[in-house]
Amino acid sequence: MFQGASALNLDAKGRMSVPAKHRDALLVQGEGRITLTKHPDGCLLLFPRPEWEAFRARVAQLPMDAHWWRRIFLGNAAEVDLDSAGRILVSPELRSAAGIEKEVMLLGMGSHLELWDAASYAAKEQAAIAQGMPEALKQFNF
C-alpha cells in the first residue's frame, strides 16, 4: 500500500531516487521492476510490475470506443528497474509529457504511485481546494 507525499529532485540524467519506504515495497511487490506511463491529468503513473499487469489487463479489455485511452496508457508504458542506488530513470519522453524537469512530487495512491512536476501539482491541488469539497466527500467523516 503506497501512501504519503515526497518532494524529490531528478538528477541531470533524469533519474529519481525512490524514497526508502516506497523502494522497499517495490522490491517486495515487483522485485524492483516498475512500469511508468502517462496519466491524462498530466502526471505519470508508477506501478510495481504485478499491479501494472492487472491494470494493463483491464485497459486491454476496454471497448473499441476507448482505443485512444489504450494508446495513452499502454503505448506510452516504459518498463524500468530500480538500480543499485535505488533510482529509476524517467525517460525524456515521459518527462516531457508530464512537464517534469527537476522538482517533483511522488504521491502514494494505494496500489501505485503518481509522479508530478512539483509546481503543476501545487497549482492543481490549490485549484481543487478552491473549488470546494465535492458532493461525495460532504458526507465523509474526518
Side-chain angles (χ1 to χ4, degrees):
M1 182 69 139
F2 299 102
Q3 64 184 25
S6 301
L8 305 167
N9 288 308
L10 299 184
D11 69 13
K13 294 181 181 178
R15 295 176 298 195
M16 178 186 74
S17 290
V18 176
K21 65 181 178 179
H22 297 315
R23 186 180 329 132
D24 295 343
L26 290 167
L27 288 168
V28 168
Q29 286 185 30
E31 300 172 352
R33 296 171 26 217
I34 300 163
T35 301
L36 294 145
T37 194
K38 287 182 185 180
H39 188 283
D41 284 345
C43 65
L44 301 178
L45 299 173
L46 283 79
F47 290 93
R49 193 60 45 88
E51 291 293 339
W52 167 251
E53 290 169 359
F55 179 79
R56 180 181 60 198
R58 289 192 346 252
V59 170
Q61 293 177 2
L62 290 172
M64 201 52 197
D65 63 352
H67 68 276
W68 270 105
W69 293 104
R70 280 196 304 273
R71 288 182 180 119
I72 290 167
F73 292 122
L74 304 180
N76 290 287
E79 296 179 355
V80 298
D81 293 315
L82 281 169
D83 68 13
S84 60
R87 300 172 300 194
I88 59 168
L89 176 65
V90 182
S91 72
E93 295 84 6
L94 287 175
R95 290 194 314 263
S96 176
I100 292 171
E101 292 184 20
K102 184 172 178 67
E103 296 178 0
V104 297
M105 287 296 295
L106 184 67
L107 301 173
M109 299 299 293
S111 64
H112 63 282
L113 298 145
E114 291 181 349
L115 183 64
W116 287 87
D117 169 73
S120 294
Y121 176 77
K124 288 185 183 238
E125 180 181 68
Q126 287 304 311
I129 291 168
Q131 285 183 339
M133 200 171 285
E135 222 28 68
L137 285 179
K138 289 185 179 175
Q139 303 302 320
F140 190 80
N141 291 322
F142 291 95

